[in-house]
Amino acid sequence: PASTYETDSERRRREFSSEWQQQLKMMIDLIYYLLVLLFIPQKYTINALLCGQQEPRRLHIMSSSKNDDYYSVKQAGDLDKPVVDRRQIIIQSSTVAASIFQQFTSPVISYAAEEESTEISRGTIFEIQDPNSYSAAVYIPKATDGKEQAKQTSLPLLVVLHGAGVNEHSALYEFITPGGDHTNLPPYLLSTQQAPPSLSENFVVVAPYVGQGKRSLYDEPRSKILSFIKWCNAYIESQTFDDGTNISINRQKVSLFGFSEGATLAVELATTRQFQGVVTASYGFTGPLPKMAIERLQGIPIWAFHSKGDDIYDVQCSDRLVESLLSYEGGLDVFAVGDIIKYTKLISPTKDKMEPGREHVRAALVASRSAEVFSWLLSLK
């Protein structure tokens, strides 16, 4: 019957309505994406925003011939898991380190003044600033004897890569002041005279700081971090310290110490094969290492620290890292594994309910206090 068919005018009305609705939807989507690009930080993608979670972490594998990222691999399984704001938990737990230290000692902080006219004293923590990248907390060991006054000493360099934090203050404050975000790392031990002699008497220590208002070095371009290290070497070598000495950095003995997101960053930077050794604490990449990364890490000494009670990054993250390196076909000589790959797995206390993040930061505290760690780095050829 005729009533079952729409008239020409009804059909045109329906088509017009459908086209209008499609155009309206396209306009709304376009406005939404423009607002996102203008006002949302770049670390959030459109898909991640629609899903209500951050972009999955990527492991950057560095080219050995260039400073640019070679390619990146998504961290496995993040989009399949419930949203966990690990970054916020890490930030909240950053002050736990100070409370752990304060149980044992009252800090005696000694650092050089920041004025340009002030000579820098060896054996203190001072701050430097690269105008093109980062500020950093720096430590230069004291001269060991009078003979050193007349010569330029070549020293190994330890680059400390911090994890996520609120980062509201200067590099010196965050690294060496109780309550700072990064007081579970070697600079704090050095400032409170608690560092093992194998560290305090032998290493130049440089801890780049992402900057006030930023969250983590992990979010920074890898080439920028590598450029900072080169600048820092040149800056330190240009200084004459208050005792009249100069030092040089032994470019063949530059090692990395990374905590949390800084540990993942340290492993990424190690794929450039520019570093002699790597110490990781609470390593946080949850996916398996891609083959190219494993190939580039072969033969690079790595010592991993992780607590079984870590509630931020599960100990399985470090388990997978170590397993990937050990099981690579044609890889490590089984007789040299003890020198190349080391793994310290901490057992967490179970007496009382612990503060969130306490075991996460404790791994870095244990590694920072270990004289054996820095003796091991010194022994690497």
Side-chain angles (χ1 to χ4, degrees):
S3 60
T4 62
Y5 298 96
E6 61 183 359
T7 63
D8 289 342
S9 61
E10 290 173 335
R11 178 177 55 77
R12 285 194 296 271
R13 243 190 334 268
R14 176 176 56 78
E15 291 175 350
F16 174 80
S17 175
S18 178
E19 291 175 0
W20 180 82
Q21 289 177 355
Q22 290 177 0
Q23 291 177 0
L24 179 61
K25 184 178 183 302
M26 291 175 61
M27 290 179 62
I28 293 173
D29 289 343
L30 178 61
I31 293 172
Y32 172 77
Y33 292 139
L34 288 173
L35 289 173
V36 167
L37 291 174
L38 288 172
F39 299 109
I40 302 298
Q42 293 182 359
K43 65 182 178 182
Y44 292 89
T45 63
I46 300 299
N47 289 334
L49 285 168
L50 294 176
C51 296
Q53 65 185 131
Q54 279 186 273
E55 180 182 13
R57 309 317 300 269
R58 295 174 180 271
L59 182 72
H60 298 257
I61 302 171
M62 308 292 293
S63 168
S64 57
S65 59
K66 298 180 180 179
N67 286 339
D68 299 322
D69 295 353
Y70 195 79
Y71 69 83
S72 61
V73 179
K74 282 188 179 180
Q75 187 159 281
D78 277 4
L79 292 179
D80 301 326
K81 296 179 180 178
V83 178
V84 177
D85 195 349
R86 288 175 174 159
R87 174 71 65 83
Q88 190 59 36
I89 298 175
I90 295 170
I91 291 168
Q92 291 171 351
S93 70
S94 60
T95 56
V96 172
S99 68
I100 296 174
F101 269 124
Q102 288 169 359
Q103 295 174 11
F104 303 102
T105 182
S106 297
V108 181
I109 299 174
S110 172
Y111 54 89
E114 296 181 47
E115 290 81 2
E116 292 183 1
S117 59
T118 303
E119 291 185 327
I120 299 172
S121 298
R122 296 178 63 165
T124 63
I125 303 288
F126 59 94
E127 184 170 346
I128 62 174
Q129 173 71 61
D130 176 9
N132 297 317
S133 57
Y134 309 108
S135 61
V138 179
Y139 172 86
I140 310 291
K142 292 181 179 180
T144 55
D145 52 50
K147 295 179 181 179
E148 191 176 344
Q149 302 285 342
K151 66 179 181 179
Q152 186 181 62
T153 305
S154 180
L155 296 172
L157 173 67
L158 181 69
V159 180
V160 177
L161 303 171
H162 67 73
V166 178
N167 299 322
E168 295 180 336
H169 305 284
S170 68
L172 279 181
Y173 182 95
E174 299 295 1
F175 280 108
I176 69 174
T177 304
D181 284 351
H182 312 303
T183 53
N184 61 326
L185 299 173
Y188 186 87
L189 284 173
L190 290 163
S191 73
T192 55
Q193 302 175 7
Q194 297 181 80
S198 54
L199 171 63
S200 61
E201 296 176 2
N202 295 289
F203 283 90
V204 174
V205 178
V206 173
Y209 175 53
V210 69
Q212 291 177 254
K214 294 184 178 182
R215 297 290 178 156
S216 173
L217 285 168
Y218 191 90
D219 300 328
E220 295 292 294
R222 292 357 181 205
S223 56
K224 185 177 178 182
I225 297 170
L226 292 172
S227 295
F228 169 79
I229 295 173
K230 293 179 180 179
W231 174 87
C232 188
N233 289 341
Y235 176 86
I236 292 172
E237 291 176 336
S238 70
Q239 301 301 305
T240 298
F241 299 100
D242 63 354
D243 60 359
T245 60
N246 303 92
I247 66 166
S248 63
I249 301 297
N250 187 337
R251 301 300 198 279
Q252 305 305 312
K253 284 187 168 291
V254 180
S255 301
L256 300 172
F257 184 113
F259 163 62
S260 190
E261 293 188 355
T264 307
L265 175 60
V267 172
E268 293 177 7
L269 294 178
T271 61
T272 63
R273 303 192 66 82
Q274 296 180 29
F275 301 95
Q276 186 185 34
V278 180
V279 179
T280 67
S282 305
Y283 173 78
F285 184 67
T286 61
L289 283 176
K291 184 177 179 180
M292 181 177 288
I294 298 172
E295 289 174 348
R296 290 185 175 173
L297 291 171
Q298 286 302 297
I300 296 177
I302 296 177
W303 192 335
F305 285 76
H306 214 126
S307 172
K308 294 180 70 174
D310 193 331
D311 56 345
I312 307 297
Y313 291 128
D314 194 277
V315 69
Q316 291 182 6
C317 294
S318 289
D319 289 347
R320 276 190 291 266
L321 170 65
V322 172
E323 183 181 356
S324 297
L325 294 172
L326 292 179
S327 62
Y328 175 68
E329 183 179 357
L332 299 171
D333 181 343
V334 68
F335 298 105
V337 164
D339 296 326
I340 303 264
I341 303 297
K342 291 178 176 286
Y343 188 8
T344 300
K345 191 178 294 188
L346 307 179
I347 299 174
S348 58
T350 57
K351 293 181 180 179
D352 302 308
K353 187 176 181 180
M354 294 175 295
E355 298 175 66
R358 186 180 182 88
E359 286 301 289
H360 185 67
V361 302
R362 190 170 76 92
L365 292 173
V366 172
S368 299
R369 279 183 158 176
S370 172
E372 186 181 357
V373 165
F374 304 107
S375 297
W376 172 72
L377 287 175
L378 287 170
S379 71
L380 299 178
K381 304 298 182 182

